Amino acid sequence: PEPKREVVPPDPRGQGLPAKPMRAGLAPPPPIDWRIAAHPSRAPITNLTAAAFRDDEIVIANADAVGRLRNGRWSIDPIRGFGPGLRKLVPVGDREYLAISSDRRLLRLTDSNTLVPWGAPLARYAFYGIVPFADGRDSAFIVGGSTDWGRGMVARIDGERVTIVAEDLEVKTLYAAAMMQDGTLIAVGARGSVARLRGGALIESATPCESDLHVVASVGNGDIVVAGA
């Protein structure tokens, strides 16, 4: 594994913000063309907490129910026994979804809209983010943190088998992650934590801000976009 490096971005403005190196000779990016549209089949439940999309269906959830739009028709089923709803839904396999409940448990949403506990119970960890493998296998990385010390952790799920890849990382609890083009995992989390991992080893970390970061995406050329509050 590569040695861990601590990244401290320069701050020439003295405002506590990270400064990205300038790239000479590049034209400014084009303005964003925002397009917002409503689906003709309005969701029959409100106050949504999670959603996932495939080419031929949409799955949504709130604190009380799970809805699935397929072939132009909605099916709605109540959520029972898994806390106040779902916080994360990610497609895996052919027709099923991995889910994280509001109380940070890992669940599986079957093709019949049934929620079942997934993987061995791991009371020491709280799960927050899921990154499915791009090859369509029934596998994914899961990020979260320890419930005792609030340190970041990464696990891998293959089918129903959960393997802890890295735990008690030198970063705070991780809320979201994305795969980079070079195969490394970028994860973000509490108190501005940003971590890059390869093979379970933390090879790079940074804290560009003090805000909690909840979203990260790889946009190519080694760049990432993060968002938080």
Side-chain angles (χ1 to χ4, degrees):
E2 298 180 22
K4 183 176 79 70
R5 295 187 290 121
E6 191 73 16
V7 178
V8 180
D11 182 20
R13 298 181 299 274
Q15 298 175 349
L17 300 174
K20 184 176 179 180
M22 297 293 293
R23 296 181 181 178
L26 294 182
I32 297 175
D33 181 17
W34 293 101
R35 299 182 183 182
I36 302 175
H39 195 279
S41 178
R42 191 174 182 85
I45 60 177
T46 58
N47 300 323
L48 302 181
T49 58
F53 303 87
R54 295 183 189 267
D55 291 339
D56 58 348
E57 73 174 7
I58 300 172
V59 175
I60 58 176
N62 66 8
D64 304 306
V66 174
R68 190 183 299 245
L69 175 65
R70 187 187 295 171
N71 299 325
R73 298 186 131 192
W74 284 100
S75 60
I76 306 297
D77 293 278
I79 295 175
R80 297 188 180 94
F82 294 105
L86 304 179
R87 291 295 177 187
K88 190 76 174 179
L89 276 169
V90 173
V92 293
D94 294 329
R95 283 296 178 188
E96 298 191 343
Y97 296 79
L98 280 177
I100 295 177
S101 64
S102 294
D103 54 2
R104 306 307 170 191
R105 287 184 287 171
L106 185 64
L107 309 172
R108 184 88 168 199
L109 179 66
T110 68
D111 191 33
S112 60
N113 271 9
T114 301
L115 282 167
V116 295
W118 204 248
L122 299 171
R124 183 172 180 251
Y125 302 107
F127 300 122
Y128 288 87
I130 306 172
V131 186
F133 286 16
D135 55 10
R137 289 184 295 166
D138 196 6
S139 301
F141 284 115
I142 306 168
V143 297
S146 58
T147 56
D148 47 6
W149 298 105
R151 303 291 289 274
M153 61 81 63
V154 178
R156 172 173 169 159
I157 184 165
D158 298 281
E160 200 170 355
R161 179 181 178 182
V162 179
T163 304
I164 302 300
V165 176
E167 59 182 333
D168 293 332
L169 295 171
E170 295 179 19
V171 292
K172 299 292 186 182
T173 296
L174 300 172
Y175 295 147
M179 293 297 297
M180 300 288 286
Q181 292 179 338
D182 62 0
T184 57
L185 185 73
I186 291 286
V188 299
R191 303 294 299 273
S193 295
V194 180
R196 185 165 73 101
L197 302 98
R198 178 182 286 120
L202 180 65
I203 58 177
E204 200 168 23
S205 65
T207 308
C209 65
E210 289 295 320
S211 300
D212 291 342
L213 302 176
H214 293 276
V215 180
V216 59
S218 171
V219 295
N221 299 321
D223 293 343
I224 63 171
V225 173
V226 301

